[in-house]
Amino acid sequence: MDRLIYIPPGTDENDTENTLELGGMTPCRLASLTGLGAVETNAVTMRMAGQDGAHLQNVTLGPRTVAAAVKIVGRSRAEMLAYRERLIRILNPKRGAGTLYYENGRGRYRIEAVATQYGAQGEDAVSRVGNVTVEFFCASPYWYAADAQRVRLYEYRAGDAFPASFPLTLQNTWYTPVVVCGAPSEVDTTVAASGPFRDFTVVNRREGQRLTVRGAVERGETLILEGAKERAYILRPDGAVQAVVPEYGYAYPSVRNGINELGVAFGIAGDGAAVTLEWADKYAGL
């Protein structure tokens, strides 16, 4: 059975009082749901004087609108109105964009969304059933799998040898095949490298991507490379964050459907060093 779950910004998913579920056996039942599949595309072209046709430069996807017709069912009109008031409170767009989850019989997916319409349709004065139209605007059209994929790229083994100097080459890097299943779109990744080590490089040979961070990461610290935000920092045991700058010419690693040959290397590493790659499968439509 299809369900939508909306988590407002700054709200924990387990806080059922301040999150909203549409569908299933909840008081807010889905009558119809649209906007899950393909979105409008725009062909970016260039045309020279006197040219027949055009040169295709790019194809872009427009934003997404997810629209739900909802029936709010209460044991009394007062209960129905209380449910509707709660719906309006949680969907308040002035709070900013939250996370919209969609569940069907195949999987669970998420997208960043803000409610742009959540108005009541007409009902008679004694009805205990309220009809509400809810629309979510999604600036990015992409859905992501709710559960992340994780692959261990490296874990320290006694006796590991490392190159003494940079730049690193493909020959002195460890490679691990990564298979991305069911994600037709290129996906940003997050790399987490736990210390102790000095000087770190991650490479995706298939895409020709390389990122190097120089310096020491101590035991208990973790170097985080967030591809979606192009952000690199060291997370300390007390929760403090120290921003770092990768070497010039870097590219954060991404993965595509199929086999991606990724690898890592260090200047030197000690017992406890480990590297994990994480990503969420990405879909242009469901």
Side-chain angles (χ1 to χ4, degrees), residues 132-182:
V132 178
T133 299
V134 180
E135 288 190 358
F136 295 96
F137 175 79
C138 310
S140 169
Y142 292 108
W143 293 95
Y144 291 88
D147 297 323
Q149 307 280 348
R150 292 180 180 85
V151 171
R152 178 60 60 89
L153 292 182
Y154 173 80
E155 190 166 13
Y156 178 81
R157 300 175 300 275
D160 283 347
F162 300 95
S165 62
F166 280 69
L168 299 169
T169 67
L170 296 178
Q171 283 69 39
N172 55 31
T173 305
W174 284 275
Y175 286 97
T176 303
V178 179
V179 179
V180 184
C181 300

Side-chain angles (χ1 to χ4, degrees), residues 246-267:
E247 278 194 349
Y248 178 77
Y250 64 86
Y252 284 82
S254 61
V255 291
R256 293 181 183 272
N257 181 269
I259 296 177
N260 298 258
E261 199 171 9
L262 283 96
V264 300
F266 305 87

Side-chain angles (χ1 to χ4, degrees), residues 120-257:
Q121 302 170 1
E123 76 248 352
D124 59 65
V126 296
S127 175
R128 63 181 184 86
V129 178
N131 297 309
V132 178
T133 299
V134 180
E135 288 190 358
F136 295 96
F137 175 79
C138 310
S140 169
Y142 292 108
W143 293 95
Y144 291 88
D147 297 323
Q149 307 280 348
R150 292 180 180 85
V151 171
R152 178 60 60 89
L153 292 182
Y154 173 80
E155 190 166 13
Y156 178 81
R157 300 175 300 275
D160 283 347
F162 300 95
S165 62
F166 280 69
L168 299 169
T169 67
L170 296 178
Q171 283 69 39
N172 55 31
T173 305
W174 284 275
Y175 286 97
T176 303
V178 179
V179 179
V180 184
C181 300
S185 303
E186 182 179 8
V187 184
D188 293 317
T189 67
T190 296
V191 177
S194 303
F197 62 82
R198 175 179 292 278
D199 298 339
F200 173 76
T201 288
V202 59
V203 176
N204 183 334
R205 185 153 60 179
R206 175 180 175 180
E207 302 298 325
Q209 298 160 330
R210 175 187 295 270
L211 188 149
T212 295
V213 173
R214 289 183 178 272
V217 174
E218 304 297 338
R219 188 180 306 277
E221 298 179 343
T222 304
L223 172 65
I224 307 291
L225 308 175
E226 294 185 5
K229 299 179 180 179
E230 294 201 348
R231 181 182 177 212
Y233 58 93
I234 295 173
L235 180 62
R236 303 198 186 284
D238 61 1
V241 170
Q242 175 190 335
V244 296
V245 179
E247 278 194 349
Y248 178 77
Y250 64 86
Y252 284 82
S254 61
V255 291
R256 293 181 183 272
N257 181 269

